[in-house]
Amino acid sequence: LLNELIADYVYTQPARARRLLAEQAVLYDAGHPRESDYYYYLHLGNLENQEYDDQKAMIAFERAVVRVDENGDIADKIEVYLDYLGTLANLGKMKLAREYYDRSIRLMASYPSDRLRARALCRQGFLYLHNHSYAKATPKFMEADRLLADKELVLTTKDHYFYTLVHTGLGTLWARPDSEDKAAVAFRRAITRCEDNGLRARLPWRQLNLGKVLMGTAAYGEAI
């Protein structure tokens, strides 16, 4: 139960997630079997990432990788690798980020999942963004958006978070003088999804992205 709550609160109530993680740590220390403790480190890494502390996130994700390699199934490994590489990219560790992306893709060959494929495409889009390969990034974000829009896919809170990442990526791609209107639409979609699903941890970042684009179009009132 704690695991399910924390998976949601990481994105919606970070302070509450941290308190529940402390409770979960006590249970493990008291002798609860540690076969699934990679979830603890995964959630801790994502929480630190949500609060913009990528160094602490990397330490947690490193522990998650070790533990999931020992005890996790294929889907668990893919999820951990994809989250880990996001923090690695934030820290500029691009070679290692690409290695974990490649590991994820190899595992997906034997575990097809539209949910995980959408997340992988999103991460790949940002890897291309880091390299300024904008023409390659765009179709990755667009395909991820298509997969996440499938009515048959029941989205989790984390899936909604990835949706906001996808549209933040598209907005970033389009934030130039000839396509600022498209960028504003993408950022608004990210903001709306945050507001509709209580994704408060990263909402200010999405709002700042939109504000900067609006400044470029001289829409100063809305930007403010």
Side-chain angles (χ1 to χ4, degrees), residues 23-188:
E23 290 185 27
Q24 196 174 45
V26 169
L27 291 176
Y28 283 122
D29 291 341
H32 185 78
R34 304 195 72 95
E35 283 81 3
S36 63
D37 67 353
Y38 52 83
Y39 282 122
Y40 169 83
Y41 294 110
L42 173 65
H43 296 325
L44 179 59
N46 280 321
L47 179 60
E48 301 293 4
N49 174 265
Q50 289 293 294
E51 297 190 337
Y52 304 96
D53 196 332
D54 285 318
Q55 288 292 343
K56 287 184 179 179
M58 183 178 68
I59 293 170
F61 281 133
E62 287 172 346
R63 294 292 299 276
V65 167
V66 171
R67 301 298 289 134
V68 81
D69 283 346
E70 294 173 349
N71 296 305
D73 61 22
I74 293 177
D76 296 326
K77 290 176 182 177
I78 295 170
E79 181 174 14
V80 171
Y81 295 168
L82 290 175
D83 288 355
Y84 181 35
L85 76 87
T87 289
L88 289 171
N90 289 345
L91 291 169
K93 299 179 182 294
M94 302 307 297
K95 181 179 179 181
L96 190 55
R98 292 189 189 93
E99 287 178 9
Y100 275 93
Y101 172 78
D102 290 340
R103 288 192 193 188
S104 302
I105 295 303
R106 287 196 295 271
L107 289 174
M108 281 188 205
S110 57
Y111 188 87
S113 164
D114 284 348
R115 185 188 313 279
L116 293 174
R117 183 163 173 257
R119 296 180 188 179
L121 286 163
C122 177
R123 295 301 191 196
Q124 188 181 23
F126 277 103
L127 290 177
Y128 282 134
L129 266 183
H130 276 279
N131 284 340
H132 306 289
S133 300
Y134 302 135
K136 292 181 179 179
T138 302
K140 303 305 178 184
F141 288 129
M142 297 295 286
E143 177 64 8
D145 182 46
R146 185 190 68 78
L147 291 171
L148 291 172
D150 187 343
K151 300 298 184 183
E152 295 185 3
L153 181 64
V154 179
L155 300 186
T156 65
T157 300
K158 189 170 186 176
D159 293 326
H160 288 299
Y161 172 69
F162 266 89
Y163 175 93
T164 70
L165 280 180
V166 167
H167 285 274
T168 297
L170 288 170
T172 302
L173 285 169
W174 293 327
R176 51 182 185 265
D178 61 334
S179 56
E180 287 170 324
D181 289 342
K182 289 172 65 177
V185 169
F187 288 138
R188 286 192 185 98

